[in-house]
Amino acid sequence: MEIRLEFAFDAAHYFSDKPPEHIYRRVHGHSFRVVVGVTGRPDPTTGFVVDFAALEAAVADLHKTLDHSLLNEIDGLAVPSLENIAVWVWRRLKAPFPGLSRVEVHRDSRGQSCIYTGD
């Protein structure tokens, strides 16, 4: 069974490896939507795969770091692609949630997304 939790954030970023005339080299912003999935068997006592309150608290910390930030300035996100954002989220949630099974990062306004399921 997999449970999922979504959160959204708005942030800016740029890609310094692009040529000077490339639009993505300039600072620009997006609204991002992240879906976190945790897989496991429900605990027979609680009925939970994982307590949503614990997952919500961990995600709130990520949201606080990401929201209204310049992603390039966050440790580990010097190149803030959808792929690297997904891995960044994964690395922060895998230890406290060993059943972490997916991290999806969406830019809905552009119809773009990335799904990361671990190494």
Side-chain angles (χ1 to χ4, degrees):
M1 185 172 293
E2 182 180 62
I3 62 158
R4 293 184 178 184
L5 179 66
E6 289 191 30
F7 71 99
F9 67 94
D10 298 306
H13 66 171
Y14 60 90
F15 293 96
S16 58
D17 65 325
K18 299 293 182 194
E21 68 278 359
H22 198 286
I23 190 169
Y24 294 157
R25 185 176 177 103
R26 296 189 301 254
V27 174
H28 59 284
H30 298 283
S31 293
F32 296 88
R33 181 172 56 89
V34 178
V35 181
V36 175
V38 179
T39 301
R41 294 182 184 269
D43 179 278
T45 304
T46 65
F48 300 156
V49 169
V50 67
D51 186 340
F52 267 113
L55 187 55
E56 288 168 350
V59 163
D61 286 341
L62 299 181
H63 180 266
K64 183 178 178 182
T65 300
L66 296 169
D67 194 42
H68 286 83
S69 69
L70 178 58
L71 297 177
N72 303 72
E73 295 177 347
I74 295 172
D75 187 37
L77 285 177
V79 181
S81 63
L82 289 177
E83 296 87 343
N84 287 337
I85 296 168
V87 171
W88 185 90
V89 170
W90 180 277
R91 288 181 177 159
R92 278 143 190 84
L93 294 178
K94 185 62 177 172
F97 302 97
L100 185 67
S101 53
R102 73 173 50 231
V103 173
E104 301 177 21
V105 181
H106 299 262
R107 255 191 323 247
D108 293 325
S109 66
R110 306 285 301 165
Q112 301 168 340
S113 64
C114 172
I115 299 174
Y116 183 64
T117 57
D119 294 329

